[in-house]
Structure formats: structure tokens, C-alpha cells
Amino acid sequence: MDFLGNFVYYFIDNGIEIIEIVIVFITFFEMRADLTRKNILFSFVTLVLFSFLWAFKTKSPVYLLVYFVFFMMEITILYNETDYKKLFSKQLWALIFLNILDAMVYNSVISAFGYFDIKNRIITKMFTYAIVLIFLLIISKFIKDKVQLLHKISIVHYIAYLFIGFADFLLLTCVLIIMRKMDKSAFIVSIIVSVSILLQYSLILLITIANEGLKFQHYLNLKYLHVQQENYEYLEYREKETKRFRHDYRNHLNLLQILCKEKRYEDVETYIENISERLNEYNKYISICNSFVDAILNYYLQKMDKKCIEFRIKGKMPKDCNIVMFDLCTIISNLLDNAIEAVDRLEGEKRWIEMTFRYDNLMIYCNVKNPYLGELNIYKNKILTNKNTKNHGFGISNVKKSVELYSGSIEIKTENGIFEVLIALVNN
């Protein structure tokens, strides 16, 4: 193949690999490329330059380093990610995963084409990429609704998945070598083995996701039970205190009557104010017409009382809410946990959190406001945290994943030292 042919081959070859990596990043890490004109132009120029370099390719191991540098540059251009360490580790995993997958499919295609005496390298590569892209799109389709569980898989599981893939590659290679030595009747067997190994590789991923889903559901069950238990204990305590007050109210009235007879009106006023404050404490219970959400809000009301944070609640929730309680718990808990963490750093009148609920025939809306200290760097409703801005960035991603399950939207605003999250959910 001449120089121009090599250049075109590597341009198409690396271009398809970039598309594969973008699909892997979307599927496994829920990271979409920032496809602005500027980024696309820089990415294209980088692809042209490295394809030109690869046209002189030899068997030197230096080209393996060039391969990683090329994809690192492409990923850095296409993704606006400030944590380069995480970006590099994700890119490294994606490259190893794709190379294992490409190698398995490539060997299977070579074996299949060998039975028909087809030895064209370009056709073999194109068939390989077509099968790999179809495989990745099918995997993406299967885990689309479970992507939030995929993020909970540990690094150990990700690494183990690569080892399983490498073992599958070795097994498939051995089987195909044995099959090639047999007659053409072994062609069907080799195809079945290849498809079976690819299915097994994808099923391991789906089983891992399902296992993480069960763990996550168990965690939410425990969290919900804890919230309910705290709420019931608080209601029981409040009921006991109310009974005590009722038991003593005659004594309070007698004392007020004595103070009035003695014309100690200032003491009467002070005493009544004390009683009113006590009654207000007993009446501290939030209700927005949804028992499950009430339990969560009253649980956080107790937490905020202990921290001397004012909790302001406005609006109502529909009684017949079609949002799964686990998702409601995830959204509300993360929002309030983040808000408490931010407000707890403040003093005086700034220690407050405001939550507003409203709904119509189709949508449920939830807004959370609170003051914050420091600076927040927000890009595309994502908080880019640094050493001074850790308050809100941690739980927002979990909220976003739950919101997307209900075709909802999330918007983050910061103005005059007030942080606000606006959420809309389709109540369906």
C-alpha cells in the first residue's frame, strides 16, 4: 500500500476508533463529547496530523506510545473535563476494552473470511468495526435506563471485566486456531463460539449492573426505613410532650389568674410568650399532602433544628404521585444534604434553606434555595468543584440521574450568594 493509501487507511481507522471511544464514554461513564465547531476542528486537525505520522508506521514500539498520546489529545479536546487524572484512567480503560473487543471480533472475521478465501485487510477491518459498533450500540441500548447503576460499579469490577475480556480473547483465539485446521464444516461452529463469547461478555456486564441495582435498592430501602423510623420517633416524642402540657395546663391557667389579680401584666405577657413558644415547638410538623415526602422533610427538619437552620417549606405535592419513592428519596435527600452542608458553614441570619413544591396535571416542580460561602464554577448544570467549593458538587450528579428517568430537567442558578436548584419531573 502506497503512502496515500496508508494515510487514508489510518485516517478512517483512527476516526472510527474515536467514534467507538465516544460511544463507550457515553455508555459507561455518561460523558457526552462537547461537539462545538472549535472542538470538532481541533479534533479533525489532530486526526489528520497523526494519520500522516502513522502513514510512515513501522514496527517500532514508539508507535504504541504515539497511539496513547493521540487518543489522550483527542479525548482532552472533545471533553471539557478538569480532572485529567480521572479522564486519563477512563480513557485507558476504554482503549483496553475496545482493543480486546476489536481483537476478538477481528480474529472471528478473519476466521470466517478464511473459509471463503477473502484476505483483504481493509474489508476485514471494516467488517470488524461494523460488528463492534453494532455490539456497542446494543449494549448502550440495554443499559440506557440503568446507567445510574453503572456508575456505582467499583473500580475493581471494571478491572476484573477487562481480565475476563482478555481471558475470553485467549479462549476464542485458541478455538479459532483449532477450527482453522478442520474442514469447512467447522465454520458454523466457529461462528457459534464467537457469538457465544461476545454474548457471555455482555451478559457479565448486565449481571454486574443488576447486582449493583439490588445493592442500591437495598441501600435506599434501609435509608427510607431509617427516615420513617426517625419520623415516627419524633411524632411519638411530640405526642408525649403535648400530653404533658395538657396535663399541666390547669396549673398554667391558675398561675396566669394569680398574676392578673396582682396586676403583674408584664409577667403575664412574658409567661404567655413562653407558652406560645412551647406550643410552636410541639406544632413543628411539615405536611405537603404526601405522606412519604412528609416523612423525609420532617426527618430533615429535625436535623436542621439541631443545627439551628431555619427550614422554610412552601407549596404542596400531589397525593397520587407517580414518581417512585426511591427516586423521590434520592432527589430530596441529596438536595437537602448538600444545602445543609453549605449552610452549616454560615452564621447568623444566613442559616436558612427554602424548599418549594408545586404541580399541575403533568409536571411536578421542586426548587431548593440556600445561601452559600465562596465561589461556584458552573458549566452546563454541572458544578466544577475546587478546594473551596465542595458544597454542592457531590450529590447533584445523583439527582440528575434520577431526574432523567422521568424525562425531567434540572437547572442550577447562583445569584447574589444564593444557590438554587430547579427541578421538573413528568408525573407519569
Side-chain angles (χ1 to χ4, degrees):
M1 192 182 292
D2 59 11
F3 175 81
L4 181 61
N6 278 333
F7 172 79
V8 173
Y9 172 79
Y10 286 113
F11 180 84
I12 296 172
D13 183 59
N14 292 315
I16 294 173
E17 280 202 61
I18 292 169
I19 294 172
E20 288 180 350
I21 286 184
V22 169
I23 295 174
V24 168
F25 266 59
I26 293 172
T27 303
F28 289 88
F29 309 121
E30 206 181 5
M31 292 174 63
R32 297 186 179 275
D34 191 13
L35 300 178
T36 62
R37 289 183 182 180
K38 180 181 176 182
N39 288 355
I40 292 173
L41 177 61
F42 284 159
S43 178
F44 179 79
V45 170
T46 304
L47 176 59
V48 169
L49 289 175
F50 275 87
S51 298
F52 183 81
L53 181 63
W54 259 299
F56 297 100
K57 187 173 180 180
T58 63
K59 293 184 178 180
S60 170
V62 175
Y63 276 88
L64 182 62
L65 178 62
V66 175
Y67 176 80
F68 281 104
V69 171
F70 164 68
F71 281 103
M72 190 64 206
M73 288 179 64
E74 288 285 359
I75 294 300
T76 305
I77 291 168
L78 291 174
Y79 289 90
N80 191 356
E81 179 63 54
T82 56
D83 193 338
Y84 292 107
K85 185 178 179 181
K86 285 185 179 179
L87 189 66
F88 175 76
S89 61
K90 289 174 182 178
Q91 180 223 339
L92 183 62
W93 186 92
L95 283 175
I96 295 172
F97 168 72
L98 284 173
N99 275 280
I100 290 172
L101 193 58
D102 282 341
M104 282 196 287
V105 176
Y106 185 73
N107 283 352
S108 299
V109 172
I110 287 178
S111 180
F113 281 6
Y115 291 110
F116 301 101
D117 296 324
I118 300 174
K119 297 180 180 179
N120 188 295
R121 178 188 175 192
I122 295 176
I123 294 175
T124 304
K125 267 286 188 179
M126 292 304 106
F127 260 84
T128 299
Y129 283 135
I131 294 170
V132 170
L133 284 170
I134 291 169
F135 177 81
L136 290 174
L137 291 173
I138 291 173
I139 289 290
S140 178
K141 179 77 173 176
F142 270 106
I143 67 176
K144 183 179 180 181
D145 295 333
K146 304 176 182 65
V147 68
Q148 72 275 19
L149 301 175
L150 192 63
H151 296 289
K152 300 182 183 300
I153 297 176
S154 66
I155 296 174
V156 175
H157 284 96
Y158 270 104
I159 295 173
Y161 191 60
L162 293 181
F163 276 106
I164 292 170
F166 185 69
D168 284 342
F169 164 70
L170 294 177
L171 175 63
L172 181 61
T173 302
C174 292
V175 170
L176 292 176
I177 290 172
I178 294 170
M179 292 298 177
R180 283 176 198 152
K181 295 179 181 179
M182 301 175 67
D183 57 20
K184 290 190 177 183
S185 63
F187 168 69
I188 301 297
V189 177
S190 63
I191 294 298
I192 292 172
V193 170
S194 300
V195 172
S196 298
I197 287 178
L198 283 175
L199 284 174
Q200 173 255 335
Y201 197 41
S202 59
L203 283 173
I204 288 173
L205 176 65
L206 295 175
I207 290 169
T208 305
I209 293 172
N211 183 51
E212 291 301 318
L214 290 173
K215 287 181 182 178
F216 185 56
Q217 186 169 338
H218 178 63
Y219 160 75
L220 287 176
N221 274 326
L222 291 177
K223 187 170 184 178
Y224 172 60
L225 289 173
H226 176 67
V227 168
Q228 287 284 43
Q229 183 180 354
E230 291 273 348
N231 191 43
Y232 291 142
E233 288 176 358
Y234 175 69
L235 290 174
E236 186 179 1
Y237 164 77
R238 198 184 64 151
E239 183 65 22
K240 286 180 180 178
E241 291 297 313
T242 303
K243 285 180 179 178
R244 285 177 186 172
F245 181 81
R246 287 174 181 169
H247 180 266
D248 294 334
Y249 86 96
R250 290 183 181 276
N251 296 328
H252 295 305
L253 290 176
N254 290 334
L255 180 56
L256 285 171
Q257 189 176 21
I258 293 170
L259 292 174
C260 287
K261 285 181 179 179
E262 296 177 358
K263 297 182 180 181
R264 294 164 57 183
Y265 299 121
E266 289 185 2
D267 291 337
V268 170
E269 185 178 352
T270 303
Y271 197 80
I272 291 174
E273 286 176 357
N274 291 334
I275 292 175
S276 297
E277 287 178 6
R278 187 66 60 87
L279 286 172
N280 287 334
E281 288 180 6
Y282 297 153
N283 291 328
K284 271 190 177 179
Y285 184 79
I286 296 170
S287 178
I288 59 168
C289 301
N290 184 292
S291 59
F292 175 71
V293 179
D294 288 348
I296 299 173
L297 295 178
N298 282 286
Y299 166 73
Y300 280 97
L301 174 65
Q302 298 169 59
K303 289 184 70 172
M304 291 186 212
D305 273 348
K306 292 175 182 176
K307 294 177 176 288
C308 298
I309 298 173
E310 181 186 357
F311 192 19
R312 307 168 185 171
I313 294 290
K314 298 179 180 179
K316 300 289 182 183
M317 278 275 289
K319 290 182 181 179
D320 299 324
C321 179
N322 294 313
I323 311 298
V324 177
M325 63 180 183
F326 300 122
D327 296 313
L328 278 175
C329 186
T330 299
I331 293 168
I332 297 173
S333 297
N334 276 293
L335 290 178
L336 291 178
D337 281 335
N338 289 338
I340 290 172
E341 183 182 351
V343 173
D344 204 27
R345 299 168 180 264
L346 305 174
E347 296 180 357
E349 296 179 355
K350 291 185 177 181
R351 294 176 67 84
W352 58 267
I353 296 170
E354 180 179 294
M355 197 165 195
T356 304
F357 295 92
R358 59 190 179 88
Y359 65 95
D360 54 34
N361 292 332
L362 179 64
M363 306 292 292
I364 293 176
Y365 305 94
C366 171
N367 298 357
V368 177
K369 283 183 183 180
N370 64 268
Y372 68 93
L373 185 65
E375 295 182 0
L376 292 176
N377 185 13
I378 298 173
Y379 177 77
K380 290 188 175 181
N381 285 322
K382 181 180 179 182
I383 298 174
L384 307 176
T385 59
N386 54 44
K387 291 182 180 179
N388 298 319
T389 59
K390 297 178 180 179
N391 300 339
H392 287 278
F394 197 65
I396 292 294
S397 59
N398 291 333
V399 174
K400 185 179 179 183
K401 291 164 196 167
S402 294
V403 167
E404 287 176 351
L405 292 177
Y406 298 90
S407 303
S409 64
I410 179 169
E411 183 181 357
I412 299 172
K413 292 182 179 180
T414 55
E415 187 176 357
N416 299 325
I418 303 297
F419 181 91
E420 183 177 11
V421 182
L422 302 94
I423 289 174
L425 303 169
V426 177
N427 187 23
N428 191 355

